Amino acid sequence: MARISTMACMLALAVSLAGCGEDYPDRDTNTRFVALHARVRHLDPAIVNDTTSASVAGNIFDRLYQYKYLVRPAELQPGIAAAMPEVSDDGLVYTIRLREDVFFHDDACFPDGKGRQVVAQDFVYSWKRIADVTNASPNYSFIEGRIKGFDEFRKYTHERSDAGEPIDYATPVAGLEALDDHTLQITLTAPWPSILYAIEHLPFTPMPREAVEHYGKRIINVAVGTGPYKLERWDQGSRIVLVRNENYRHDPYPSEGEPGDKEKGLLADAGKPMPFIDRVEFEIIEEDQPYWLTFDKGLIDSAGIPKDTFSNVVGAGQKLKPKWAKRGIELIIYDYPATEWLAFNMKDPVVGKNLALRQAISLAIDREDFIELFRNGRGTPAVGPTHPMISGGNDYLHSPYHRYDVEAAKAKLKEAEAFHGGPLPELAFTMGGTDTSARQYAEWVERSVEKIGLDVKIDLMDWPTQQEQVDNAALQFWRYGWHADYADPENYMFLYYSPNHAPGPNSTNYANPEFDKLFERFVTTPHGPQRTALHHQMEQLVVDDMPAVFTMYSIAYVLRHPWLENYKPHPIMWGTLKYQKVNVAKRWEMLTGKTLEE
Amino acid sequence: MWAYILRRLLYTPLIVFGVLLVTFVLFKLVPGNPARIIAGPGASESTIKEIEAQIGLDKPRWINVDGAREQGFGALFDSQFFRHMWDTPRFEFGDSVYKKKAVSEILYKGAGPSLKLTVPMFIALLATSISISLGITMLRGTVWDLLIVIACVIGMSIPFLAVILFGQDWFAGKLDWFPIRGYDTGFAGVRYYVLPVILGVFAGLGSDVRFYRTVMLDEAKADYIRTAYAKGVGTGRVLFRHLLKNAMIAVITRVVLAIPFLFLGSLLLERFFSIPGLGFLMVESISSRDYNVIAALTYIVALLFIFGQLMTDICYALVDPRISLK
């Protein structure tokens, strides 16, 4: 009996130490709580290239142009730029006027700690940092070969680095010039109409030279930007806290949206100064169960739906189940510009040469089944590489082999065998992953293909190993995918341009001179019907030649608690927190049953 | 004894050399290019090459023959291998190529949260399992003994992941007794550690109690225990003054060998309870081919392990007069 009492006392002590579960700290303040599913690696825009870091940094650093928050398909508007650029008739020179009311965050790197005005020279300096090899920026590919003199500057930094000499940032770059404090001029090597999408990216934000010099190597842990929020605290691997930038220029909330936005209340704050939220707390929650429990308790304001929880939350007709709907939680479904496919190595002597074989495999893939089994229905069957939200639909494609038809697949396989000159050897399918879901996926592909009489050997390997084999063109066929970096089909088409072959982004080593010619015309053609027609032709060539079996276009499902307002997830844009609003009184009442006054 | 300790210490550089060599060879055998991982899937070949150069992968793997030809004999050792063998033993771990931070900073920041989890868990598990084992010794052959053994076997059969999933969902999610997850420094952070420590102790009890029970029962059969009882010594005194002291050899062996690994944290508990420790660091570093971090972790654990073994030997001599270190 005494022992039982002791144990009970110990449990009571443990519970009292833990403070009896959640007490909703700070949920009565104007704070937005966000969960991140991975750790933030660094916040230096020159080197950020992961989505988690970008989702935080996007709220700290402004760019010249930004996407319109509510408008779909995604459309750009001026950010730090005063207006859309003036473009020369030959499409080579972009002159960009900067706003004069943009200031860096107050920071110890500035005299008196007061953030100074942003000038054109800040862009010249920041973009040079991307080219500087000593920064090992993964983002140089965005502008490689595009801006006059940049490749030469990169070469210069390489030589200085090898010689152990410091890099002189005063070294001019012919194609990037600050005409005056508020005018930036970019001169391209060839017309590049997608440049504005590229420079909307985080690496092209202005970084104050003072901060880089003041913090040295620590610059990756600090963030001195011009955005609506500034970094207050970063507990590595645990939490990041941003606070409102009091010097922010307070742009008005947009008044332009999609049909239906007004009815959802998304235009109620049109014209009001942003940001609305004082403080943002990012909690790093890497596992699905705590992520979901945290949302369920109302400790974060919005969340995705983990795979294992999906059927408990979403019911028939992709509607929220009553248990959740009753709490006022809203399910938001939107197109997410990621496409998945099974890639073929076009250099492989078996699959690369045999179009009928690739067509047979495509016909053997039941895309609907795949989407239901592996994505809980969160996708649509793909017929080509470009996600329809980027191309505005894909009706232009004739894609007779992107359907499920076992009999047709068997007939195609006979053609493939005839082309091969006898029975086909066992194929090797590679998955970049070794966990249960990767194995299930690979087994599903194996079963699909074996149904038509093809033997398949599964090879599971971790992502770096797979990537090295892809780079060495050593694989036969494997699972792959792409999430658009920007809202332009170019960002899909460059994956099939032959000079980009592995280890470049054209991982299938697809090479079609006709495609290459079209692509070279496409990238220099201004946006308009002619460019669209070129894109359609290129995409049709890819679908016909089938260097990949396209399986799924992604759709995202997100939940929000009723107290989170002005919330409309953007598929591409980083840094949407300034538009959002938290109804603090409603949150406090729903979580604790008390009013704020109590 | 001092000669023995000195001799063991003199072996240390050789063992460390072996560990560093094996770590390097193993890592270089594993395919996967860290520069490619940093660059991301859309990167151009030239970007990948530049990153390789910046993280030292453009250097020859073993010896730099070309460098020696051009710059003299000294450049022969300007290679990945010699850089590793020279820098790592001096605790010059360089930067994490994936996180772009000094490895020493990553380890320094992660070790605290990990140790705050693993040390209390380790102590609580040790105290609980030894107490239960001593208790069982008194109950040997009774139905309680049988029930506890069955409970231990069941406990050992339940995967740690299942314990965490159930514990977090039930005690934090449904009963609301504990925070779901979280981390804070100082006393404010203690509340976040309570549930993971309880779950860690619970998950480890099965195997530890089984082990210590066997050790205790072996000792309980010894003549000196029977003699002690025959002399009329009380049960408590027999258990704590005689039995436990003689069972310490096995306890020390198990305990000291476990101590170095406390530094590495607990992968699952840290992930599920958002503790920013080192538990996930090894896994993440292997998957991102972050060699500097792997080398640092391996080296530190190897040193702790060598030190732990030396301490074990010294403790043997202290607790058992029959053992002398020569």
Side-chain angles (χ1 to χ4, degrees):
Chain A
M1 195 63 188
R3 274 193 204 101
I4 293 169
S5 311
T6 310
M7 283 173 70
C9 285
M10 284 173 71
L11 185 62
L13 177 71
V15 173
S16 60
L17 261 177
C20 264
E22 306 293 354
D23 50 7
Y24 303 111
D26 296 331
R27 267 65 184 179
D28 55 347
T29 63
N30 186 13
T31 305
R32 165 87 160 94
F33 292 89
V34 185
L36 299 174
H37 233 1
R39 296 182 184 202
V40 172
R41 281 160 58 191
H42 24 63
L43 289 175
D44 178 355
I47 57 170
V48 165
N49 76 332
D50 64 293
T51 54
T52 309
S53 303
S55 66
V56 176
N59 299 289
I60 302 172
F61 297 98
D62 284 324
R63 280 84 72 198
L64 285 165
Y65 297 96
Q66 61 188 8
Y67 288 103
K68 291 179 180 174
Y69 179 54
L70 300 173
V71 173
R72 307 287 185 277
E75 202 179 298
L76 287 174
Q77 65 180 5
I80 297 179
M84 297 309 277
E86 291 164 29
V87 186
S88 63
D89 291 342
D90 59 4
L92 290 175
V93 182
Y94 282 64
T95 307
I96 299 171
R97 287 285 304 164
L98 305 185
R99 288 170 63 154
E100 294 183 20
D101 58 351
V102 181
F103 290 83
F104 286 112
H105 298 158
D106 291 347
D107 190 89
C109 69
F110 298 113
D112 306 325
K114 192 82 190 142
R116 66 162 170 81
Q117 191 183 38
V118 172
V119 291
Q121 195 58 41
D122 291 316
F123 287 92
V124 177
Y125 172 74
S126 306
W127 294 16
K128 282 180 180 172
R129 287 188 73 236
I130 305 168
D132 180 349
V133 296
T134 59
N135 290 325
S137 169
N139 300 310
Y140 187 64
S141 304
F142 279 117
I143 47 168
E144 189 172 8
R146 304 281 199 179
I147 299 176
K148 255 188 193 167
F150 245 105
D151 290 354
E152 288 75 12
F153 180 78
R154 186 163 173 83
K155 202 169 154 214
Y156 155 77
T157 64
H158 191 121
E159 287 162 2
R160 299 286 283 189
S161 165
D162 280 354
E165 301 285 339
I167 313 291
D168 180 6
Y169 272 70
T171 307
V173 170
L176 190 64
E177 210 180 338
L179 298 183
D180 57 48
D181 276 358
H182 301 292
T183 313
L184 181 70
Q185 192 167 75
I186 305 164
T187 307
L188 303 174
T189 53
W192 183 31
S194 299
I195 182 176
L196 298 189
Y197 291 115
I199 63 175
E200 184 275 338
H201 266 76
L202 206 54
F204 300 94
T205 188
M207 275 284 277
R209 186 176 189 145
E210 297 92 323
V212 178
E213 287 171 357
H214 180 81
Y215 291 106
K217 278 180 78 175
R218 285 188 298 137
I219 192 68
I220 59 170
N221 293 338
V222 294
V224 186
T226 60
Y229 292 98
K230 51 187 187 176
L231 182 66
E232 186 190 63
R233 181 177 165 180
W234 182 3
D235 299 332
Q236 304 264 340
S238 167
R239 181 190 312 151
I240 293 182
V241 180
L242 307 185
V243 290
R244 179 201 285 262
N245 169 19
E246 295 301 341
N247 299 336
Y248 192 63
R249 51 197 179 274
H250 301 300
D251 288 342
Y253 185 85
S255 50
E256 186 187 0
E258 277 186 298
D261 282 351
K262 193 174 178 187
E263 292 70 22
K264 288 179 190 159
L266 286 166
L267 290 171
D269 288 314
K272 291 184 186 166
M274 300 183 295
F276 300 105
I277 295 167
D278 293 337
R279 194 166 171 272
V280 184
E281 214 170 281
F282 292 92
E283 305 269 356
I284 290 146
I285 313 177
E286 291 164 295
E287 291 294 331
D288 284 347
Q289 174 169 292
Y291 177 81
W292 178 251
L293 289 174
T294 307
F295 174 78
D296 186 26
K297 291 239 180 242
L299 294 164
I300 50 175
D301 306 315
S302 60
I305 311 174
K307 186 173 179 282
D308 293 337
T309 315
F310 191 84
S311 57
N312 292 332
V313 179
V314 180
Q318 305 295 294
K319 292 258 190 309
L320 205 59
K321 287 193 169 173
K323 179 184 171 190
W324 312 97
K326 259 193 281 180
R327 289 168 56 182
I329 292 171
E330 187 197 0
L331 171 66
I332 302 166
I333 302 174
Y334 64 100
D335 279 333
Y336 189 69
T339 308
E340 268 195 47
W341 58 81
L342 304 178
F344 296 110
N345 177 8
M346 297 300 279
K347 283 187 178 169
D348 182 82
V350 179
V351 297
K353 309 279 177 255
N354 199 332
L355 175 63
L357 173 60
R358 300 195 297 274
Q359 289 170 338
I361 293 173
S362 181
L363 287 164
I365 298 296
D366 184 351
R367 291 162 180 78
E368 307 267 2
D369 184 51
F370 161 76
I371 292 165
E372 198 51 50
L373 268 177
F374 294 98
R375 295 286 181 271
N376 308 105
R378 286 180 273 191
T380 52
V383 290
T386 311
H387 195 292
M389 72 152 287
I390 301 291
S391 56
N394 49 26
D395 296 343
Y396 54 87
L397 280 177
H398 175 62
S399 191
Y401 300 104
H402 278 87
R403 65 189 163 91
Y404 178 53
D405 187 337
V406 175
E407 291 313 310
K410 284 179 180 168
K412 267 288 163 199
L413 190 63
K414 285 207 171 74
E415 267 181 51
E417 284 172 341
F419 179 84
H420 187 72
L424 286 155
E426 185 182 58
L427 301 182
F429 176 72
T430 309
M431 269 299 289
T434 53
D435 57 9
T436 311
S437 62
R439 180 171 292 283
Q440 286 170 344
Y441 187 109
E443 285 171 354
W444 182 86
V445 172
E446 183 189 30
R447 276 198 307 278
S448 301
V449 178
E450 282 182 349
K451 258 190 290 187
I452 62 168
L454 260 176
D455 288 333
V456 173
K457 182 185 77 175
I458 294 173
D459 208 354
L460 300 180
M461 52 182 72
D462 66 358
W463 192 82
T465 307
Q466 187 201 42
Q467 194 58 50
E468 185 166 296
Q469 303 230 22
V470 169
D471 289 350
N472 295 332
L475 299 182
Q476 205 161 38
F477 83 116
W478 65 97
R479 177 198 177 193
Y480 226 56
W482 186 255
H483 177 279
D485 293 309
Y486 48 87
D488 189 295
E490 181 197 334
N491 198 233
Y492 289 96
M493 292 297 102
F494 87 120
L495 300 172
Y496 301 96
Y497 181 51
S498 70
N500 288 340
H501 62 79
N506 177 1
S507 57
T508 61
N509 301 299
Y510 173 65
N512 181 337
E514 195 186 342
F515 179 94
D516 290 349
K517 267 188 216 154
L518 288 168
F519 183 79
E520 282 155 15
R521 275 177 62 202
F522 169 79
V523 292
T524 58
T525 304
H527 290 273
Q530 197 191 347
R531 194 170 197 269
T532 306
L534 286 168
H535 167 236
H536 291 180
Q537 285 177 57
M538 281 190 295
E539 183 139 355
Q540 189 62 57
L541 278 178
V542 172
V543 168
D544 291 343
D545 292 340
M546 207 172 266
V549 169
F550 302 100
T551 50
M552 189 190 83
Y553 300 127
S554 287
I555 297 175
Y557 283 54
V558 174
L559 300 172
R560 74 163 178 97
H561 281 294
W563 57 75
L564 179 61
E565 297 172 0
N566 295 347
Y567 181 63
K568 182 174 178 179
H570 196 285
I572 295 185
M573 180 182 184
W574 300 117
T576 57
L577 287 167
K578 67 178 176 185
Y579 301 97
Q580 297 169 23
K581 203 163 107 176
V582 175
N583 185 332
V584 181
K586 191 174 195 176
R587 175 168 68 189
W588 189 245
E589 198 178 340
M590 288 188 77
L591 293 178
T592 65
K594 296 175 193 163
T595 62
L596 277 177
E597 290 70 34
E598 286 176 76
Chain B
M1 186 165 88
W2 289 109
Y4 174 83
I5 293 171
L6 188 65
R7 201 163 59 244
R8 285 289 297 267
L9 287 175
L10 288 174
Y11 290 151
T12 303
L14 280 174
I15 299 168
V16 167
F17 177 82
V19 168
L20 293 177
L21 181 68
V22 170
T23 311
F24 184 82
V25 171
L26 280 179
F27 189 75
K28 296 300 169 185
L29 284 177
V30 176
N33 180 356
R36 155 55 92 182
I37 296 160
I38 295 165
S44 65
E45 191 175 356
S46 71
T47 301
I48 298 167
K49 292 256 177 278
E50 291 294 359
I51 294 174
E52 277 178 353
Q54 287 308 309
I55 60 179
L57 292 179
D58 59 332
K59 299 256 187 282
R61 191 168 287 181
W62 296 101
I63 49 170
N64 192 345
V65 178
D66 292 341
R69 261 193 223 119
E70 287 166 18
Q71 298 161 36
F73 181 72
L76 188 68
F77 305 108
D78 186 16
S79 69
Q80 294 177 42
F81 175 69
F82 280 101
R83 185 177 282 188
H84 163 72
M85 296 304 279
W86 177 243
D87 288 345
T88 312
R90 295 181 300 126
F91 296 92
E92 294 282 338
F93 301 128
D95 289 349
S96 153
V97 297
Y98 185 66
K99 295 174 187 277
K100 300 230 176 194
K101 291 185 182 116
V103 174
S104 51
E105 182 195 333
I106 295 169
L107 298 184
Y108 175 74
K109 287 195 169 155
S114 276
L115 290 171
K116 275 192 252 174
L117 170 69
T118 52
V119 170
M121 195 164 80
F122 179 71
I123 293 169
L125 177 60
L126 188 65
T128 316
S129 51
I130 288 181
S131 305
I132 295 174
S133 305
L134 279 172
I136 298 174
T137 312
M138 290 194 303
L139 302 168
R140 184 166 46 132
T142 67
V143 68
W144 289 107
D145 183 25
L146 183 68
L147 285 176
I148 288 174
V149 171
I150 291 171
C152 286
V153 173
I154 293 171
M156 285 164 68
S157 317
I158 302 172
F160 190 23
L161 180 63
V163 172
I164 294 172
L165 285 170
F166 172 80
Q168 188 177 50
D169 183 42
W170 193 255
F171 295 112
K174 292 192 170 65
L175 296 175
D176 203 22
W177 286 359
F178 303 95
I180 294 162
R181 43 148 301 280
Y183 177 77
D184 210 340
T185 50
F187 189 74
V190 173
R191 59 199 298 262
Y192 297 111
Y193 280 100
V194 179
L195 183 57
V197 165
I198 290 173
L199 296 179
V201 170
F202 179 79
L205 270 181
S207 60
D208 274 27
V209 168
R210 283 256 301 173
F211 175 80
Y212 293 124
R213 174 186 172 275
T214 309
V215 171
M216 305 290 177
L217 286 180
D218 278 350
E219 288 298 327
K221 291 174 196 160
D223 291 343
Y224 68 88
I225 297 290
R226 202 178 312 124
T227 309
Y229 277 124
K231 283 165 71 180
V233 180
T235 306
R237 198 175 163 84
V238 168
L239 287 180
F240 289 101
R241 289 294 296 274
H242 297 277
L243 193 150
L244 184 58
K245 197 172 175 189
N246 281 287
M248 282 310 275
I249 293 285
V251 175
I252 287 168
T253 308
R254 194 170 169 95
V255 166
V256 179
L257 292 182
I259 286 174
F261 297 99
L262 299 180
F263 169 74
L264 291 179
S266 166
L267 165 67
L268 287 175
L269 285 172
E270 288 178 15
R271 293 267 299 184
F272 274 84
F273 290 93
S274 306
I275 296 166
L278 299 179
F280 187 55
L281 188 63
M282 186 60 111
V283 177
E284 185 185 49
S285 306
I286 291 169
S287 63
S288 58
R289 305 296 188 262
D290 200 340
Y291 178 66
N292 289 351
V293 177
I294 297 169
L297 285 172
T298 315
Y299 178 60
I300 290 171
V301 171
L303 284 185
L304 289 171
F305 198 76
I306 293 165
F307 180 72
Q309 283 200 314
L310 183 61
M311 287 294 106
T312 310
D313 289 348
I314 294 169
C315 290
Y316 283 166
L318 293 177
V319 300
D320 191 340
R322 291 168 299 181
I323 297 172
S324 63
L325 302 177
K326 287 181 181 167

